[in-house]
Amino acid sequence: MDPPFEEKYKSLLTNGTLLSKDEDDVIMSDYEEHELPIIDLHRFTLSFSERERCVKEIRQAAREWGFFQVVNHGIPQEILERIQLEQRKLLHHPFSKKAEENILNLSENNGYRWGNHTATCLRQISWSEAFHIPLTDISKIGGEYKSLRESIEAYAATAEKLAKEMTEILAENLDISSTYFQENCLPETNYLRMNRYPPCPFYSEVFGILPHTDSCFVNVLIQDQIGGLQLWVNGEWISVKPHPEALLINLGDLFQALSNDVYKSIRHRVVLASKQVERLSLAYLYCPRNDAVIESGMKPSIYRKFTFEELMKQNSRDIEETGRKLGISRFLM
């Protein structure tokens, strides 16, 4: 069921050529492990003062880390377990079926992706596969995947509510229209990305996924307990300790631009655990319409205004030309 990584990257794995000796390219799974701030959202149901303290903690975590964890988030455990089961079933299909057939009837090249086909050295290899699913296409999923569609619909409805709540809390003090997200972020403009990191015999030499930032406003992430997620914080990589009851929230490029750098979209990557173990994660990417204008209400603005479509097209060009996404640095004034 695994993609043919060794066949695809045979010459790179044989020659063993690294990109550089920069810290950004050093692969270590044993960096100091940190537990990110944990926010208990049950506090929103308590007194006004308790709610305000919770809001303050969310904003502080977003400023200091760009990532934080939430518990009592309102998404039923049954929904989380069901979508993770369906994800595992989908990604455990034979590779030929995943890659050659549009099994989910999606509009974007069948939604299946693997590796990094522009890699020219070991440090540009991504030892992972994913289904990237536009939620506009959910109604097209049927047949033997009816259960998958139903689990996505149930999860998306609850994850969207959580993502919207987080963005509105973070945007309250940023001179952004109170209706901005309601007008620009619709249920069908969001994406679901189902990731799998297969066992890797070269786990100490290649990335699970390359260092990058997310392009969305916020990402609601489900991850298993294997570990491997690392963040670039204060000039060094740190490993994130998984929490069995928490969802991860991280800010994307759009929110960094909208906030005029009050909040940061933190670079992160995945390193592989071992030769035997696979890792799974599931990202709910809270995104706007393609024509949504991203412009900070705070002056002077660090970024020129742009649309979500412009950002995504620029990302595609950068990946094609450099092998990496350069993000909103392309839109600096």
Side-chain angles (χ1 to χ4, degrees), residues 279-331:
R279 178 182 186 271
L280 295 172
S281 69
L282 191 148
Y284 180 87
L285 303 167
Y286 189 63
C287 299
R289 303 175 310 181
N290 282 338
D291 62 353
V293 175
I294 313 302
E295 181 179 22
S296 175
M298 306 171 73
K299 306 300 177 186
S301 179
I302 298 173
Y303 305 93
R304 68 172 178 84
K305 73 177 180 180
F306 58 92
T307 65
F308 183 48
E309 184 174 29
E310 285 180 88
L311 174 64
M312 298 307 286
K313 287 182 176 179
Q314 184 64 58
N315 285 342
S316 296
R317 287 193 294 269
D318 288 339
I319 291 170
E320 186 68 28
E321 294 170 8
T322 71
R324 297 199 179 200
K325 182 173 68 173
L326 302 179
I328 53 171
S329 62
R330 291 295 203 178
F331 298 91

Side-chain angles (χ1 to χ4, degrees), residues 113 136 144 272:
R113 302 166 185 186
T136 50
E144 66 177 294
L272 300 161

Side-chain angles (χ1 to χ4, degrees), residues 197-330:
Y197 304 88
C200 176
F202 314 98
Y203 70 96
S204 63
E205 300 176 78
V206 302
F207 290 114
I209 195 165
L210 299 175
H212 68 286
T213 57
D214 293 336
S215 301
C216 54
F217 281 119
V218 300
N219 172 22
V220 178
L221 183 71
I222 304 171
Q223 63 168 347
D224 59 25
Q225 300 304 298
I226 298 301
L229 176 64
Q230 296 182 342
L231 314 183
W232 183 254
V233 179
N234 296 326
E236 63 179 356
W237 289 106
I238 65 167
S239 294
V240 174
K241 183 179 181 179
H243 187 297
E245 298 175 7
L247 298 180
L248 268 177
I249 306 289
N250 71 278
L251 308 189
D253 292 349
L254 295 185
F255 215 99
Q256 177 167 333
L258 198 67
S259 73
N260 215 31
D261 276 8
V262 170
Y263 301 114
K264 299 294 179 64
S265 177
I266 300 298
R267 219 159 26 122
H268 52 286
R269 67 187 191 183
V270 172
V271 297
L272 300 161
S274 74
K275 296 180 181 180
Q276 291 84 28
V277 178
E278 72 171 3
R279 178 182 186 271
L280 295 172
S281 69
L282 191 148
Y284 180 87
L285 303 167
Y286 189 63
C287 299
R289 303 175 310 181
N290 282 338
D291 62 353
V293 175
I294 313 302
E295 181 179 22
S296 175
M298 306 171 73
K299 306 300 177 186
S301 179
I302 298 173
Y303 305 93
R304 68 172 178 84
K305 73 177 180 180
F306 58 92
T307 65
F308 183 48
E309 184 174 29
E310 285 180 88
L311 174 64
M312 298 307 286
K313 287 182 176 179
Q314 184 64 58
N315 285 342
S316 296
R317 287 193 294 269
D318 288 339
I319 291 170
E320 186 68 28
E321 294 170 8
T322 71
R324 297 199 179 200
K325 182 173 68 173
L326 302 179
I328 53 171
S329 62
R330 291 295 203 178

